[in-house]
Amino acid sequence: MISTTALGTTGPTVSRLGLGAMGMSGMYGRTDDVESVATIHAALDAGIDLVDTGDFYGSGHNESLIGKALAGRRREDVTLSVKFGGLRGPGGTWAGVDTRPESIRNFLAYSLQRLGVDYIDVYRPARLDPAVPIEDTVGTIGELVEAGYVRHIGLSEVGPETLRRAAAVHPIVDLQIEYSLISRGIETEILPLCRELGIGVTAYGVLSRGLLSDSLRTDQTLAADDFRAHSPRFQGENLRQNLTLVDSLAAVAAQHGVSVAQLAIAWVLAQGDDIVPVVGARTVARLAETLGALDVHLGAGDLAAIAAAVPDTAVAGERYAPAQMAQLDSERAGVGS
């Protein structure tokens, strides 16, 4: 079985790998609900008990899909992490974030219904709402904790000041934020602060949306409805530069007899037991590859070789388009890309 760790000093015990379900609702092109449910089942059967979603993924489709997959399963065997507040329009357009107290209660009611559960394990705003003080957002979720509808509070993509202010209102169990070999900005200030405050990190984007894998080394054509088609790191010369880093990483992976993706996940796992990679496998086959990362053990020499192959200063392009970067409190704090 998969080893476990605690989310921060006040959070639940979860598997060392989490399953991110966003890609099962069309963010990276067409999906198959039957295969998605099978993947969730395979993850649970393998011992992955942390499942991450957002109420705005597929405008509710993702939560409904997870609810279908969890039907008949023991509720206590799954830790559900839910982001809320993202506003979507017809066609998937993005309209910002709403974390007003009355909106939080509304979002939660819909999430509970779609997921088919009576509580959420970790509930978090998807982004910082510039119109609502973080104290009000966390305070409202705290009331829902007291009422039994939420067990723990998490945050997503916030900077140090926001993190401190939030933790002063209510215990924060984890910060969900992008962290990978080529997105290491949190190491400067945010990660040390999380460790000071006893807050865990659930790291998404550990494969940089498939960049740190073998998938784009042979097929670089992205569908128009694929999020990556509009992401700076996947554009033109940026992509060509970044794929040279992937090629270097592939050479190290070959020495270990593992895939690029497995080595990238293992690298994140090696950064500390307080960091839980949340990997977005969409198929049973991809999940099996992901699980193989748990068998990769990296020593100091291995980590040095990986760092030499993929220096984060050589990465081309920001992790989001400019409009999205502007909405990240974590980036406004100046922690890097």
Side-chain angles (χ1 to χ4, degrees), residues 22 24-27 54-63 88 92:
M22 181 183 74
M24 297 177 181
S25 293
M27 286 296 289
D55 62 9
F56 51 94
Y57 292 169
S59 299
H61 169 269
N62 205 245
E63 287 185 322
R88 282 280 170 79

Side-chain angles (χ1 to χ4, degrees), residues 19-273:
L19 178 66
M22 181 183 74
M24 297 177 181
S25 293
M27 286 296 289
Y28 300 117
R30 295 183 62 182
T31 58
D32 182 331
D33 283 0
V34 173
E35 181 67 18
S36 295
V37 169
T39 303
I40 295 170
H41 286 168
L44 296 173
D45 292 342
I48 291 179
D49 57 14
L50 176 62
V51 178
D52 180 80
T53 184
D55 62 9
F56 51 94
Y57 292 169
S59 299
H61 169 269
N62 205 245
E63 287 185 322
S64 296
L65 180 72
I66 292 171
K68 179 180 178 180
L70 298 184
R73 298 268 176 164
R74 294 199 316 163
R75 175 64 185 88
E76 58 270 29
D77 290 343
V78 183
T79 300
L80 286 172
S81 168
V82 178
K83 289 180 290 297
F84 70 87
L87 301 177
R88 282 280 170 79
T93 56
W94 179 259
V97 178
D98 181 1
T99 68
R100 292 172 298 161
E102 60 270 29
S103 298
I104 294 174
R105 296 184 180 94
N106 176 77
F107 291 140
L108 178 63
Y110 279 88
S111 286
L112 294 172
Q113 178 68 28
R114 286 189 290 252
L115 289 164
V117 298
D118 55 11
Y119 68 89
I120 302 296
D121 295 281
V122 185
Y123 202 50
R124 73 183 80 244
R127 296 287 186 266
L128 179 68
D129 184 343
V132 180
I134 191 62
E135 291 85 355
D136 292 354
T137 300
V138 172
T140 299
I141 307 174
E143 293 172 2
L144 295 170
V145 172
E146 292 179 3
Y149 294 115
V150 172
R151 293 287 172 85
H152 304 282
I153 302 177
L155 293 172
S156 176
E157 288 286 359
V158 299
E161 179 186 354
T162 302
L163 201 57
R164 285 190 184 278
R165 288 168 54 193
V169 175
H170 191 282
I172 305 298
V173 298
D174 73 319
L175 172 64
Q176 189 171 108
I177 195 164
E178 185 166 356
Y179 185 45
S180 74
L181 263 170
I182 62 174
S183 292
R184 300 176 61 177
I186 71 168
E187 293 175 347
T188 303
E189 191 172 358
I190 289 179
L191 182 55
L193 179 59
C194 284
R195 287 171 171 165
E196 174 190 330
L197 299 176
I199 297 172
V201 170
T202 41
Y204 76 89
V206 297
L207 299 181
S208 296
R209 299 166 182 83
L211 184 58
L212 293 175
S213 72
D214 293 312
S215 61
L216 291 174
R217 298 174 69 207
T218 55
D219 180 11
Q220 300 179 27
T221 302
L222 299 173
D225 60 350
D226 189 320
F227 164 83
R228 297 170 295 181
H230 313 284
S231 176
R233 288 183 178 172
F234 292 83
Q235 305 301 311
E237 187 57 39
N238 285 350
L239 180 59
R240 284 188 286 275
Q241 166 66 20
N242 292 331
L243 286 175
T244 65
L245 300 178
V246 179
D247 288 341
S248 297
L249 186 62
V252 180
Q255 295 172 6
H256 289 268
V258 299
S259 70
V260 171
Q262 288 170 331
L263 190 63
I265 297 168
W267 181 88
V268 175
L269 285 166
Q271 303 311 305
D273 290 342

Side-chain angles (χ1 to χ4, degrees), residues 298-305:
L298 303 174
D302 300 317
L303 294 172

